[in-house]
Amino acid sequence: MSDAEPIFDVAHLSHAELLTPRFDQSVRFFKDLMGLYETGRDDTSVYLRGYEESHHHSLRLTRADEPGLGHIGLRTTSRAALDRRVAEIEAMGAGIGWVDDATGYGPAYEYRSPDGHRMRIFWEIERPEVAKDQRSRLLNRPMKRPGIGVPVRRLDHLNIMCSDVAPVRDFLIRSTGARLREAVVADAGPVIGAWLSHNNINHDLALTMDMTGASGRLHHVAFYYGVPQHLNDMADLLRENEIAIEAGPGRHGITQGSFLYCFEPGGNRIELFGDEGYLIFEPDWQPVIWPERDLALGLSYYGAELPLTGAAIGTPPRPIPDPAEIMARIQGKA
Ligand SMILES: [Fe+2]
């Protein structure tokens, strides 16, 4: 058991910025099928949130030539916590600097993971005024449940791809106090996947070994329903609208979450999360390490097969290596 003092400076994953080369189609997907509300718009981006989110946005969609991750936004537990984390990030040599395009939050500090993912950390957020016709009758619900699509409730987690998982895992633990919950470790040593969280959910940031060997890519962004039946409703709606379903509905072994994977029109993989799996309350949680032989069970407990080639598919897109090359990477030979 580690005697290290836990860090509770980061409250939660606050937003993700997604890049899309098919901006209007992506906006329509998130608004009309996933039921996100638009809370702002400028020349380059649209800002969106779920009906149970009170902060300005959990998703920023930005015009770009290629799909992919813009940045990840983490909210701290206080101003002092922000200062502590920025000091640590600067000491680690990962800092970029304070940003000047933080719509809906900030002051915000930008930095980079060892694999190149852009991250931002901040304390202050805006809570935009809600139009009268969008107000819920429930005093504890920020906006009315929209009568469109199968509306998601909130952002849940991000899964980012890494040329090497272990340094990014260690970076998240040191820079923002993320706690390792589960991992898959290959027999030859490389970490194939890691699931970490800053709070009681079992992961808010997950890391996947990029089977193409590329750096800084996105595997998926996940939104939360809390009701697995909604995955079937959404699968129906996706098929009706000719949106590609990759896999599911099914249930993961790792984290025990129920999933449906699809690709939004811009090309980014989106996960719809039925239920959250288990919650974590123990301060001395011992990470669950799955061996290579249990990988298939860990990825999919039931409902859909999740082949390893899925760990080569991310954004921006890259050519998918053949199975032998993927095996060589897992065995630490690539
Ligand atoms: Fe996920």
Side-chain angles (χ1 to χ4, degrees):
M1 197 173 294
S2 168
D3 288 330
E5 191 62 17
I7 298 164
F8 294 108
D9 283 349
V10 169
H12 69 121
L13 171 68
S14 188
H15 68 256
E17 182 189 30
L18 271 186
L19 309 179
T20 169
R22 299 178 73 205
F23 185 73
D24 294 335
Q25 292 94 325
S26 293
V27 171
R28 271 204 298 278
F29 168 83
F30 285 106
K31 288 173 73 169
D32 296 350
L33 300 186
M34 289 180 58
L36 294 178
Y37 278 106
E38 180 175 329
T39 55
R41 188 180 277 254
D42 54 36
D43 291 346
T44 56
S45 302
V46 158
Y47 302 85
L48 303 152
R49 69 176 184 181
Y51 68 94
E52 289 195 345
E53 294 176 308
S54 65
H55 59 301
H56 184 270
H57 64 274
S58 58
L59 178 66
R60 175 178 173 175
L61 275 180
T62 297
R63 296 174 197 275
D65 294 336
E66 276 194 315
L69 177 70
H71 68 261
I72 299 166
L74 299 175
R75 189 177 180 210
T76 64
T77 50
S78 69
R79 175 68 212 207
L82 173 61
D83 293 340
R84 278 193 296 271
R85 290 303 101 213
V86 170
E88 183 68 32
I89 290 161
E90 288 189 332
M92 294 169 79
I96 296 173
W98 296 93
V99 303
D100 55 14
D101 71 332
T103 299
Y105 60 94
Y109 188 85
E110 187 162 307
Y111 58 104
R112 254 181 224 286
S113 82
D115 219 62
H117 309 95
R118 283 168 54 217
M119 306 185 72
R120 291 181 178 186
I121 189 166
F122 50 88
W123 156 240
E124 290 175 39
I125 52 154
E126 282 174 29
R127 290 192 172 86
E129 179 82 9
V130 177
K132 222 172 179 182
D133 64 342
Q134 293 180 336
R135 282 184 202 153
S136 174
R137 296 181 65 212
L138 296 173
L139 302 183
N140 52 11
R141 181 178 276 176
M143 296 181 88
K144 185 186 284 184
R145 186 180 197 266
I148 183 167
V150 186
V152 294
R153 292 159 71 170
R154 60 167 171 78
L155 174 66
D156 191 84
H157 65 268
L158 280 185
N159 189 313
I160 54 178
M161 301 172 86
C162 308
S163 59
D164 190 359
V165 168
V168 182
R169 172 200 64 197
D170 295 346
F171 176 82
L172 294 176
I173 291 169
R174 183 175 160 195
S175 61
T176 54
R179 292 176 276 287
L180 180 65
R181 305 314 197 175
E182 303 201 32
V184 182
V185 179
D187 297 342
V191 182
I192 299 173
W195 287 259
L196 302 100
S197 69
H198 294 87
N199 52 37
N200 299 112
I201 62 174
N202 59 48
H203 65 301
D204 49 19
L205 290 176
L207 312 175
T208 294
M209 176 194 276
D210 192 323
M211 298 303 172
T212 70
S215 298
R217 295 204 300 159
L218 173 71
H219 193 269
H220 64 264
V221 178
F223 291 86
Y224 175 76
Y225 281 123
V227 180
Q229 173 58 37
H230 289 343
L231 301 185
N232 293 78
D233 301 336
M234 193 57 172
D236 194 331
L237 199 61
L238 293 172
R239 296 292 287 152
E240 288 276 28
N241 287 276
E242 300 180 49
I243 301 284
I245 293 174
E246 182 187 32
R251 192 169 192 204
H252 294 302
I254 296 161
T255 77
Q256 297 180 36
S258 54
F259 65 85
L260 172 68
Y261 290 107
C262 64
F263 293 96
E264 58 88 20
N268 295 295
R269 184 192 278 105
I270 304 298
E271 181 179 18
L272 287 316
F273 223 40
D275 65 279
E276 193 67 76
Y278 60 87
L279 297 173
I280 297 174
F281 300 99
E282 293 175 21
D284 56 351
W285 174 267
Q286 297 303 299
V288 176
I289 307 301
W290 298 69
E292 186 180 324
R293 68 172 180 277
D294 287 333
L295 180 60
L297 170 68
L299 294 180
S300 180
Y301 185 34
Y302 58 74
E305 225 184 298
L306 294 176
L308 257 183
T309 46
I313 300 169
T315 47
R318 293 285 179 271
I320 298 173
D322 61 44
E325 202 178 315
I326 291 177
M327 279 319 293
R329 196 166 295 283
I330 290 172
Q331 288 161 1
K333 294 175 192 161

